[in-house]
């Protein structure tokens, strides 16, 4: 009977540790995705403004080495290569399918796509600067939320798990 109780405690403790780690995951993932968006937009400025690359080529180069958003951007550019959809529709679809973003992030990023797809290269630098400022603001909010809520949730889940372990004893 004692062995069964010990095994139950170990299994329950392991499950609680796993759940505790996962409680802060959405906060960390949002920060990582927004950091990659910030890097991608910062890379787009010189690619479009100085090198005068077409938007599809600039997008391909901007997300190079960004594992969270890169595949989604490449899929978006591939749909543009196939001439299936226009840039804005492809961009919005990509933003809608990208994991790690929260509801308040999507409209800001979709606005960046609207600005990119609708203006000449000369104006895109200024529009990208505005979009980059918006993404930086979102990133700062996400970091603050991760600092506060992202630490509270695992602690809360851990406390409930500890209470459950005590009840099982």
């Amino acid at each position: 009977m004692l062995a069964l109780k010990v095994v139950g405690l170990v299994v329950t403790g392991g499950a609680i540790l796993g759940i505790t780690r996962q409680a802060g995951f959405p906060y960390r993932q949002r920060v990582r995705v927004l950091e990659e968006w910030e890097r991608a937009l910062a890379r787009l400025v010189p690619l479009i403004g100085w090198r005068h690359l077409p938007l599809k080529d600039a997008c391909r180069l901007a997300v190079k080495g960004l594992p969270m958003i890169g595949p989604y951007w490449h899929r978006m550019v591939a749909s543009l290569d196939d001439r299936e959809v226009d840039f804005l529709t492809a961009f919005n679809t990509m933003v809608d399918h990208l994991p790690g973003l929260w509801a308040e992030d999507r409209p800001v990023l979709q606005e960046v796509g609207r600005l990119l797809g609708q203006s000449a290269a000369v104006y895109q630098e200024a529009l990208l600067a505005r979009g980059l400022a918006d993404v930086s603001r979102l990133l700062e909010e996400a970091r603050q939320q991760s600092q506060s809520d992202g630490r509270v949730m695992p602690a809360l889940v851990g406390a409930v798990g500890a209470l459950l372990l005590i009840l099982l004893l």
Side-chain angles (χ1 to χ4, degrees):
M1 189 64 156
L2 181 62
L4 187 60
K5 218 175 201 185
V6 169
V7 168
L9 286 173
V10 168
V11 169
T12 305
I16 290 168
L17 285 175
I19 293 170
T20 301
R21 286 197 67 220
Q22 289 299 317
F25 179 74
Y27 298 96
R28 291 188 305 272
Q29 185 181 25
R30 179 182 182 215
V31 168
R32 288 195 348 239
V33 167
L34 289 174
E35 284 173 346
E36 287 194 8
W37 269 94
E38 187 178 51
R39 274 188 238 127
L41 293 178
R43 290 176 184 174
L44 274 176
V45 172
L47 292 173
I48 291 173
W50 302 337
R51 292 181 61 191
H52 303 291
L53 289 177
L55 190 55
K56 291 189 293 188
D57 296 334
C59 286
R60 280 189 192 104
L61 290 173
V63 295
K64 196 172 191 175
L66 301 177
M68 301 272 305
I69 67 171
Y72 294 91
W73 279 61
H74 287 297
R75 210 170 302 134
M76 175 197 65
V77 171
S79 71
L80 293 173
D81 286 341
D82 297 338
R83 300 187 192 275
E84 294 174 7
V85 293
D86 64 331
F87 179 80
L88 183 59
T89 304
F91 194 89
N92 287 342
T93 302
M94 182 258 306
V95 169
D96 287 339
H97 289 93
L98 193 64
L101 295 175
W102 290 10
E104 63 258 24
D105 302 336
R106 295 185 194 284
V108 172
L109 297 175
Q110 288 172 340
E111 179 66 13
V112 170
R114 189 185 68 75
L115 296 173
L116 274 178
Q118 302 296 322
S119 61
V122 175
Y123 300 110
Q124 286 184 9
E125 279 186 85
L127 297 174
L128 274 173
R130 189 174 108 200
L132 186 57
D134 290 343
V135 170
S136 295
R137 179 187 49 78
L138 277 177
L139 179 57
E140 188 56 37
E141 289 173 8
R143 283 182 177 145
Q144 288 173 355
Q145 198 168 22
S146 179
Q147 289 285 325
S148 59
D149 297 346
R151 289 187 179 170
V152 169
M153 289 302 292
L156 184 63
V157 170
V160 170
L163 180 64
L164 180 64
L165 284 176
I166 291 170
L167 289 175
L168 286 176
L169 286 175

